[in-house]
Amino acid sequence: MMGKDVEEVSASLVREYLSRKGLKKTIACMDEELPRSNSSINNRSDLRRILHLEGLYKKNKAEEHPLKSMLEMIVKDRMSEGGKTKGRRHGDNQTTSSSSIDTTGDFKREEDCMENLLCDSPRLSESSVSQVNVPSQTSSEKLRKSFAVQPESERSMHCLLSSQDSLLTVSKEGFPSEKKVVDTDSQKNRSGRIRRGIMAGPIASSSQESNRRRPAQKAPTSAIATLEDCREAANWTNGVNTTNSTSIPSAPLEESSMFSNLHTGIIDRSRHERTSDVKHRLKNSAPSPKLDELHVLEMVLDDIENEESLCDVSRTSMPEISLDKTPMDQMTATALKEIIFGSSMACFTEEWKQQNLTFSDTPGLKYGIVQKKGGPCGVLAAVQACVLQKLLFEDSSNDSLDERLEVSNVLRTKCLSRALADILWRAGNMKSATVTINTGRSLFTPIGRYKSDGILEMITYVTVETLDDLALVLEQHVRQFESGPFGCILLTVSAILSRTIAIIQSDMDVPTSTLIGAHGYCTQELVNLLLCGQAVSNVFDDEMKLDSGNGNFTLLKGIKARCNIGLLSLFEHYNICKVGSHLKTPKFPVWVVCSESHFSVLFCPSEDLATDHCKEEEFDLYYYDGLANQQEPIRLTVYPHSAAGAAQTDSADSDLIPPLDLCIRTKWRNAVVSWNNTDPIL
């Protein structure tokens, strides 16, 4: 748990730095690779309190030129501490040799700090430096000239070289003693960070890969030589005959090899020097520079040429797609709130904020999406039905039903991504679709009559014109819907923007209708938008005209075509509505069930049920309710034509009949339902 907290605080500290520096694109890329969670810290005051930086923050404000970010404050403070340690050690060496022993721990601590810096640097490969020997003076000068260090870039080169040099302990004669650096855990952690996209920039393992990802720069201010120069220098260094030297074995040229070869040609320097002083300094070896002598501006950690390169790291395994992201603005957010709630002052409830599309881990129910609290059940049931369509009838195999429903984590996430693509593509009238992405930071400052809820203000959205592009975008961002915060809200807003607010208003019988009603419940318009792509207000087929007198008619809009997923409603049993055949007999035997203000799902594993409208034999239906905390599958056996069913429907004890049975009988009128030794849900 502590490790997770450290990771969250560290990520928040980096985001605060990027925000203060105005690196918006970099933040967006980081949020894609490492989405914010409920435990992320978005308040600077909270971050200062957790890191105990109140005193340092006040001290920084009193400075003539205060630093902007907390990360800079921490770095400056640590550098200052390093300077004090050096001064104390220097004074002690002038008095007694015994006092110098007391500072050994501080010296070791600085060396460890530099080692960690180098281990974490994306410029280094995973090979460790074991033994490096200093060649002759002539070799040093020759190597320095071969790299043609320009005056403008000498300071950056010095930082890189001196950082590498700090791995060595220099003896009185100026030759480094052996010091083997083995930090397996650090290297493993670094590899993990690269996989998660935290560390900027790829790591080249060959000259071909390096040239592909980072073309060699020919500008005179470049501080890094081309790999061809490094290879030539490496071959030259390996051929040098020096006293007490150990030859470096030939290997594929990695970036750490480049630094090792650089070190073999240049002796440590104590402070920054101009190019004219380099030769003189090389003749007189000096102690290696300490951490306090490095300047922040000279710490070249990467050579990424533009911020967009950060995004490419996560896309190496899938085709790249050029996307134009539109940040949310207050006008769009206001229109969204009015169509969702009916007022720009309304906000999403906690039930909606906490709900994403997380799957169950219960054996036999791993296909099921878990609902945490009441409210967004209409959205969850619609998505659940579409996931089952993908799982049972489009990704089906010859496995038994139990094996198909005991789905793997990878397959269920794939089905979720494809189900979301179907929902949004239908909403976009099969022509385009919009996907919303949570950036984790506010994109506009609300003014006027608008109440912020910390969700819509953080959204950016992408519109695509083909189904393939939509599938790619959702594959890249499906974790935001499945496990990130606000997953259910992101889907709802994506469907609205895909359909557009104006068309949704024209779909409704009354343009002022909303998609979320009282108590945070989904309205029929929202459920219909997700099931059939249109936010119509009714469930009957086509349209219905009502004579309102004086030659005027009121047009009521229903479902225009047969849907992939069906719907059964308890309200039809009570003659409050009429579900048409477009929903009652869908293309796939999966139904969203509306029963007592709650939505759940019924499905049949046999696709024949969808084509046999007058089925005579009994069949099985499976029931799933994400809010019911099911511990095992619920299998119902339906006997479609039974005299007992007709008698039971007409009996005075109909109040004891499970509501789900009544919903089933709206399609199979005289059916008898057996719960197969499972307690009926009343």
Side-chain angles (χ1 to χ4, degrees):
M1 185 63 183
M2 184 61 180
K4 180 65 175 177
D5 293 339
V6 170
E7 182 177 338
E8 292 291 351
V9 174
S10 301
S12 300
L13 184 63
V14 173
R15 287 190 175 96
E16 190 266 349
Y17 172 81
L18 298 176
S19 175
R20 301 294 286 180
K21 292 297 182 181
L23 304 176
K24 297 181 180 180
K25 294 181 180 179
T26 309
I27 294 177
C29 291
M30 180 176 178
D31 288 332
E32 290 180 12
E33 292 295 323
L34 188 69
R36 307 191 192 202
S37 64
N38 294 329
S39 57
S40 295
I41 304 168
N42 298 317
N43 185 284
R44 298 186 77 231
S45 299
D46 293 341
L47 188 57
R48 287 199 304 268
R49 176 178 51 79
I50 292 174
L51 293 173
H52 307 290
L53 297 179
E54 291 86 351
L56 192 62
Y57 180 74
K58 293 179 181 179
K59 179 180 177 181
N60 179 69
K61 288 186 66 176
E63 296 285 344
E64 182 178 357
H65 300 290
L67 299 172
K68 290 184 178 181
S69 70
M70 280 180 258
L71 185 58
E72 291 174 308
M73 298 177 201
I74 295 173
V75 171
K76 181 180 179 181
D77 180 66
R78 298 309 303 160
M79 291 169 63
S80 300
E81 288 294 327
K84 295 176 183 177
T85 302
K86 179 193 175 187
R88 183 170 63 251
R89 184 173 63 252
H90 180 70
D92 291 343
N93 287 338
Q94 290 179 340
T95 56
T96 62
S97 61
S98 61
S99 61
S100 65
I101 299 176
D102 297 335
T103 62
T104 303
D106 295 332
F107 183 74
K108 183 66 169 64
R109 183 183 61 189
E110 290 181 4
E111 285 193 332
D112 292 341
C113 180
M114 184 60 72
E115 287 176 12
N116 291 335
L117 174 64
L118 292 173
C119 288
D120 287 342
S121 173
R123 296 286 313 173
L124 300 179
S125 72
E126 297 189 12
S127 59
S128 300
V129 180
S130 58
Q131 293 181 351
V132 182
N133 292 284
V134 180
S136 64
Q137 176 64 32
T138 304
S139 302
S140 302
E141 294 179 357
K142 182 177 179 180
L143 178 61
R144 183 185 63 78
K145 292 179 180 179
S146 70
F147 280 91
V149 180
Q150 301 296 325
E152 296 85 350
S153 62
E154 190 273 332
R155 297 174 65 200
S156 297
M157 173 66 83
H158 168 66
C159 175
L160 290 170
L161 298 176
S162 58
S163 298
Q164 182 73 5
D165 292 343
S166 65
L167 288 175
L168 304 172
T169 303
V170 182
S171 64
K172 293 182 180 179
E173 292 78 15
F175 293 100
S177 59
E178 296 180 2
K179 180 176 180 182
K180 190 170 184 178
V181 180
V182 180
D183 194 353
T184 305
D185 292 338
S186 176
Q187 296 295 342
K188 290 181 179 179
N189 293 337
R190 173 183 158 282
S191 301
R193 288 194 295 274
I194 291 175
R195 285 193 296 271
R196 295 197 303 270
I198 297 176
M199 296 180 65
I203 292 187
S205 59
S206 64
S207 61
Q208 180 181 0
E209 179 69 9
S210 178
N211 291 330
R212 183 179 66 86
R213 297 302 299 269
R214 292 194 302 277
Q217 299 182 3
K218 298 182 179 180
T221 58
S222 174
I224 306 299
T226 62
L227 289 181
E228 289 78 5
D229 294 335
C230 295
R231 183 179 293 105
E232 180 181 355
N235 295 333
W236 167 78
T237 304
N238 290 337
V240 173
N241 294 323
T242 58
T243 305
N244 298 328
S245 65
T246 303
S247 63
I248 303 174
S250 60
L253 184 63
E254 297 187 0
E255 294 180 83
S256 63
S257 302
M258 182 179 71
F259 280 107
S260 299
N261 294 327
L262 282 173
H263 178 270
T264 58
I266 300 178
I267 302 177
D268 300 335
R269 296 182 293 268
S270 60
R271 53 183 56 86
H272 307 309
E273 302 152 348
R274 303 297 297 174
T275 306
S276 58
D277 297 329
V278 171
K279 291 183 179 180
H280 174 72
R281 293 292 182 180
L282 286 172
K283 295 179 181 179
N284 300 280
S285 299
S288 60
K290 303 301 182 293
L291 186 60
D292 61 294
E293 294 177 317
L294 298 178
H295 194 279
V296 174
L297 296 178
E298 298 171 348
M299 300 184 68
V300 182
L301 297 181
D302 211 310
D303 62 345
I304 292 296
E305 297 181 9
N306 52 55
E307 294 170 352
E308 286 75 15
S309 299
L310 295 173
C311 302
D312 296 338
V313 178
S314 64
R315 298 175 185 169
T316 55
S317 61
M318 60 184 67
E320 295 184 9
I321 176 174
S322 177
L323 302 174
D324 293 328
K325 297 180 181 178
T326 305
M328 183 64 66
D329 57 74
Q330 184 167 336
M331 181 180 298
T332 305
T334 299
L336 283 169
K337 284 201 170 189
E338 288 176 350
I339 195 70
I340 293 173
F341 305 109
S343 170
S344 60
M345 299 300 291
C347 296
F348 288 100
T349 63
E350 287 301 317
E351 290 79 6
W352 278 82
K353 290 180 180 180
Q354 298 174 12
Q355 186 63 60
N356 50 26
L357 306 177
T358 303
F359 287 97
S360 171
D361 290 326
T362 303
L365 297 174
K366 296 186 70 175
Y367 61 85
I369 298 174
V370 177
Q371 182 176 352
K372 299 176 181 178
K373 293 184 179 179
C377 54
V379 174
L380 298 179
V383 175
Q384 179 70 77
C386 293
V387 168
L388 286 167
Q389 170 196 330
K390 299 295 179 184
L391 179 62
L392 293 174
F393 308 114
E394 296 184 19
D395 284 303
S396 59
S397 63
N398 295 327
D399 297 334
S400 65
L401 176 63
D402 292 340
E403 291 173 332
R404 280 186 286 164
L405 293 181
E406 193 61 31
V407 60
S408 67
N409 294 351
V410 174
L411 180 56
R412 66 186 185 181
T413 298
K414 175 185 175 183
C415 290
L416 174 62
S417 178
R418 295 175 58 189
L420 298 181
D422 275 6
I423 291 173
L424 299 181
W425 194 243
R426 277 197 301 267
N429 200 27
M430 309 293 186
K431 296 179 179 179
S432 65
T434 300
V435 180
T436 57
I437 302 167
N438 175 25
T439 65
R441 58 189 179 89
S442 182
L443 301 176
F444 67 89
T445 302
I447 58 175
R449 188 173 174 77
Y450 177 91
K451 187 174 181 180
S452 173
D453 55 12
I455 300 177
L456 295 181
E457 302 83 34
M458 297 184 179
I459 287 177
T460 184
Y461 50 94
V462 177
T463 299
V464 294
E465 305 296 332
T466 68
L467 183 57
D468 289 340
D469 287 348
L470 176 60
L472 281 176
V473 173
L474 286 170
E475 184 178 351
Q476 292 173 350
H477 299 286
V478 67
R479 293 296 180 185
Q480 285 210 3
F481 296 91
E482 182 178 2
S483 54
F486 322 133
C488 195
I489 297 176
L490 289 177
L491 173 59
T492 302
V493 176
S494 297
I496 296 171
L497 295 179
S498 296
R499 184 66 177 167
T500 74
I501 295 174
I503 295 180
I504 287 178
Q505 289 175 330
S506 66
D507 287 339
M508 300 172 171
D509 289 347
V510 180
T512 56
S513 299
T514 62
L515 299 179
I516 296 181
H519 311 294
Y521 293 156
C522 301
T523 62
Q524 191 63 52
E525 286 87 348
L526 178 54
V527 175
N528 287 343
L529 174 63
L530 301 179
L531 288 182
C532 65
Q534 298 177 328
V536 294
S537 303
N538 306 285
V539 292
F540 51 71
D541 293 344
D542 302 320
E543 299 174 344
M544 184 181 299
K545 291 183 178 180
L546 296 180
D547 188 356
S548 55
N550 298 325
N552 296 322
F553 292 91
T554 299
L555 182 64
L556 303 180
K557 302 167 186 175
I559 309 300
K560 294 183 178 180
R562 188 184 181 194
C563 301
N564 288 340
I565 305 298
L567 182 136
L568 302 176
S569 176
L570 186 63
F571 293 118
E572 182 175 12
H573 170 76
Y574 294 116
N575 294 321
I576 298 175
C577 71
K578 174 66 176 178
V579 179
S581 61
H582 291 335
L583 282 175
K584 196 173 288 185
T585 56
K587 296 178 181 178
F588 299 96
V590 184
W591 293 267
V592 171
V593 178
C594 176
S595 175
E596 298 181 336
S597 301
H598 182 60
F599 291 92
S600 50
V601 178
L602 270 175
F603 64 95
C604 177
S606 174
E607 194 171 359
D608 295 339
L609 186 62
T611 57
D612 189 354
H613 303 302
C614 302
K615 191 172 182 66
E616 299 289 340
E617 301 82 13
E618 69 272 11
F619 55 89
D620 288 339
L621 292 176
Y622 287 80
Y623 178 69
Y624 180 76
D625 183 0
L627 190 61
N629 192 26
Q630 282 183 229
Q631 297 302 312
E632 58 183 8
I634 297 177
R635 181 178 63 88
L636 311 176
T637 300
V638 179
Y639 301 90
H641 300 285
S642 172
Q648 191 176 21
T649 303
D650 298 333
S651 68
D653 296 332
S654 59
D655 291 340
L656 299 178
I657 302 175
L660 186 58
D661 290 22
L662 301 179
C663 291
I664 291 173
R665 287 177 189 166
T666 62
K667 177 171 175 59
W668 296 279
R669 181 172 179 78
N670 297 323
V672 170
V673 179
S674 170
W675 285 72
N676 296 316
N677 298 322
T678 303
D679 292 335
I681 300 175
L682 296 176

